[in-house]
Amino acid sequence: GQSLEQPSEVTAVEGAIVQINCTYQTSGFYGLSWYQQHDGGAPTFLSYNALDGLEETGRFSSFLSRSDSYGYLLLQELQMKDSASYFCAVRSRRDDKIIFGKGTRLHILP
Amino acid sequence: NAGVTQTPKFQVLKTGQSMTLQCAQDMNHNSMYWYRQDPGMGLRLIYYSASEGTTDKGEVPNGYNVSRLNKREFSLRLESAAPSQTSVYFCASSEVGTPNTEAFFGQGTRLTVV
């Protein structure tokens, strides 16, 4: 089956940089995606890596290494509004299922 | 531009009652999904539909049924609610077969079974 592993919680200081890792045991997927979810809200799409390497979108970057079955989300210049849960996800080429990791809760200290 | 709309937003059921959660999307997406979210468990796939007229089980389908009524609508039914089904339910939609896997989520239904 498919599974994605993430740390359950990460804490960082406002203005700093934090990396959230995701390791997966799956194959036959399009790429690795990241979603953000604030308390009480719905998940929203952040980024997608189709190929190995780094993708940058403003303060957020995401990385994928298929050979290592590993990816990460990098958040720079942390702001209090970045306090949220972050999920990695993959989409199966075979049956179009989208499977999520259990999420990483990011705590930001002032 | 409504995106994905779920109804109701909140619901309290008694054990054994039935109900249907409604979901509709206006983005002409082929794929639709139902997830449940419990503390510490992330988003777990209940059922999904890759196209109108097809449905498939996800990771946690027991106790649920779905209907893909048309391309826009995908409903989730609890035939006999149990306290273990207390959760937040999210519907999502996405375009099938494209490399970008972005899924669009509804605002969720917060269900409590007592």
Side-chain angles (χ1 to χ4, degrees), chain B residues 48-114:
Chain B
Y48 66 104
S49 170
S51 63
E52 184 180 349
T54 68
T55 62
D56 280 293
K57 296 178 180 179
E59 302 164 275
V60 288
N62 292 344
Y64 306 94
N65 286 300
V66 290
S67 295
R68 183 73 182 266
L69 304 170
N70 47 56
K71 192 171 187 178
R72 290 187 66 247
E73 298 172 287
F74 188 37
S75 62
L76 179 72
R77 183 160 178 84
L78 287 70
E79 290 291 352
S80 178
S84 61
Q85 294 177 305
T86 292
S87 188
V88 181
Y89 292 85
F90 286 101
C91 175
S93 73
S94 181
E95 193 46 65
V96 69
T98 59
N100 186 341
T101 67
E102 180 174 0
F104 297 83
F105 284 81
Q107 287 305 303
T109 296
R110 283 147 182 83
L111 175 67
T112 302
V113 183
V114 297

Side-chain angles (χ1 to χ4, degrees), chain A residues 2 30-33 35 37 39-45 47-48 50 85 87 89-92 94-103, chain B residues 31 33 35 37 40-43 45 48-50 56-59 90 94-108 110:
Chain A
Q2 300 167 320
Y30 283 111
L32 190 68
S33 298
Y35 289 76
Q37 184 182 28
D39 284 349
T44 56
F45 176 82
S47 69
Y48 170 70
S85 293
F87 298 86
V90 295
R91 181 174 183 166
S92 168
R94 181 177 65 83
D95 55 19
D96 210 46
K97 282 193 295 189
I98 302 178
I99 301 298
F100 288 81
K102 292 185 178 179
Chain B
S31 292
Y33 309 82
Y35 294 90
Q37 186 172 37
M41 299 299 292
L43 293 154
L45 183 63
Y48 66 104
S49 170
D56 280 293
K57 296 178 180 179
E59 302 164 275
F90 286 101
S94 181
E95 193 46 65
V96 69
T98 59
N100 186 341
T101 67
E102 180 174 0
F104 297 83
F105 284 81
Q107 287 305 303
R110 283 147 182 83

Side-chain angles (χ1 to χ4, degrees), chain B residues 8-69:
Chain B
K9 289 186 170 54
F10 299 93
Q11 183 72 48
V12 179
L13 289 178
K14 293 182 178 179
T15 297
Q17 286 185 317
S18 62
M19 78 162 295
T20 299
L21 281 64
Q22 307 287 353
C23 175
Q25 52 93 9
D26 62 3
M27 296 171 281
N28 203 37
H29 287 161
N30 284 295
S31 292
M32 298 187 72
Y33 309 82
W34 276 105
Y35 294 90
R36 62 175 288 173
Q37 186 172 37
D38 304 292
M41 299 299 292
L43 293 154
R44 291 185 292 171
L45 183 63
I46 305 172
Y47 271 94
Y48 66 104
S49 170
S51 63
E52 184 180 349
T54 68
T55 62
D56 280 293
K57 296 178 180 179
E59 302 164 275
V60 288
N62 292 344
Y64 306 94
N65 286 300
V66 290
S67 295
R68 183 73 182 266
L69 304 170

Side-chain angles (χ1 to χ4, degrees), chain A residues 28-99:
Chain A
F29 64 96
Y30 283 111
L32 190 68
S33 298
W34 289 91
Y35 289 76
Q36 180 190 58
Q37 184 182 28
H38 287 100
D39 284 349
T44 56
F45 176 82
L46 279 180
S47 69
Y48 170 70
N49 290 73
L51 303 173
D52 284 5
L54 192 67
E55 294 284 341
E56 298 181 67
T57 309
R59 294 188 297 114
F60 293 1
S61 303
S62 56
F63 173 82
L64 174 63
S65 169
R66 288 179 185 266
S67 59
D68 295 324
S69 298
Y70 166 74
Y72 65 74
L73 179 68
L74 191 73
L75 296 83
Q76 302 181 73
E77 301 172 16
L78 285 171
Q79 302 175 10
M80 296 306 292
K81 67 178 182 179
D82 298 329
S83 295
S85 293
Y86 293 84
F87 298 86
C88 55
V90 295
R91 181 174 183 166
S92 168
R93 289 181 180 271
R94 181 177 65 83
D95 55 19
D96 210 46
K97 282 193 295 189
I98 302 178
I99 301 298

